[in-house]
C-alpha cells in the first residue's frame, strides 16, 4: 500500500526539498547514553528536530538487530515523510548489529571465483538476498553496499578484503549478482543498494578515513579498469 505521507515535489517548500536530500547519522541503540560517537551521532531530541524538518533519511551504526527493529519503527513514526534507513552492511546485518548474520568478507567470494566462477556468482546472489531479507526485517531499506572497487593494489589499507576481487571483470560479475539478489520483490525484501566507493579507490595506498588519496592514473586507465564494475 502506498504510504500517504509520500511527498509530491510540487507540494514541498524549498526547505523541505533541501531536507529531503539530507541523511543524518545516529545510533541503532534506543537511548542517548549508549551513543558511541556523540560528536557524530544525533541524540533523540536532535533527531526529532531533524525529522520534523523532513530529512530524507538516517544512517544507523551500533546496537543489536532487535533494537534496530524497534528503532526504525520509532523513527518512521516520528518522520514527517517516509525515511530512507541506511547502514554500511557489506558483510551482513551482523557486521553492524549484533544478533544477525555476519558473512565472510567479499574477498572470499573472489577466491571461490578463481576456481569456480558460476558457483561464486550464485553465492554472491544468495548473499545479497539474505542480507536484504534480514535488513528489511528490521526496517533497513538502503544498503550502503556492495563495494565495487577493484582491489588491484596489495598495499591498500582500506579496501583489501572488502573488495570482491582484483580484476574488473570478476568484480563486475560478483557485485552485479549481489545487487540482483537484493531485488526480491516477491517477498517484500527488496532494498536499495549503493555501488561504492569511488573508481580508483582500490588502487590507493592510504586510508581515506584519515587523509585524501590521490589516483594518478589517466582517464583511459579508469575507463579500462576501475570504471568497469561501476558501469
Amino acid at each position: 500500500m502506498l504510504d500517504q505521507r509520500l511527498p509530491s515535489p510540487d507540494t514541498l517548500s524549498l526547505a523541505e526539498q533541501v531536507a529531503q536530500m539530507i541523511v543524518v547519522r545516529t545510533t541503532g541503540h534506543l537511548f542517548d547514553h549508549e551513543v558511541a560517537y556523540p560528536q557524530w551521532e544525533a541524540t533523540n531530541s536532535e533527531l526529532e528536530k531533524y525529522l520534523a524538518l523532513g530529512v530524507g533519511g538516517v544512517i544507523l551504526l551500533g546496537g543489536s538487530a532487535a533494537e534496530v527493529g524497534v528503532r526504525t519503527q520509532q523513527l518512521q513514526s516520528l518522520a514527517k515523510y517516509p525515511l530512507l534507513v541506511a547502514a554500511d552492511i557489506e558483510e551482513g546485518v551482523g557486521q553492524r548489529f549484533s544478533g544477525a548474520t555476519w558473512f565472510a568478507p567479499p574477498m572470499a567470494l573472489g577466491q571461490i571465483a578463481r576456481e569456480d566462477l558460476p558457483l561464486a556468482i550464485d553465492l554472491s546472489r544468495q548473499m545479497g538476498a539474505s542480507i536484504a531479507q534480514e535488513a528489511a526485517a528490521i526496517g533497513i531499506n538502503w544498503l550502503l553496499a556492495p563495494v565495487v572497487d577493484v582491489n588491484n593494489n596489495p598495499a591498500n589499507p582500506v579496501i583489501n578484503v572488502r573488495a570482491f576481487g582484483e580484476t574488473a571483470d570478476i568484480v563486475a560479475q560478483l557485485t552485479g549478482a549481489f545487487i540482483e539478489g537484493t531485488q526480491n520483490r516477491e517477498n517484500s525484501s527488496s532494498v536499495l543498494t549503493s555501488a561504492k566507493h569511488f573508481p580508483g579507490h582500490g588502487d590507493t595506498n592510504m586510508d581515506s578515513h584519515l587523509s585524501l588519496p590521490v589516483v594518478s592514473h589517466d582517464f583511459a586507465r579508469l575507463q579500462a579498469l576501475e570504471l568497469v564494475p561501476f558501469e
Side-chain angles (χ1 to χ4, degrees), residues 71-107:
R71 180 73 156 159
T72 55
Q73 291 183 51
Q74 175 194 69
L75 295 174
Q76 292 287 11
S77 68
L78 291 171
K80 190 172 186 177
Y81 303 117
L83 291 169
L84 291 172
V85 182
D88 278 291
I89 302 174
E90 302 166 11
E91 300 172 15
V93 175
Q95 178 187 9
R96 297 298 179 191
F97 310 110
S98 62
T101 306
W102 192 343
F103 291 93
M107 185 178 281

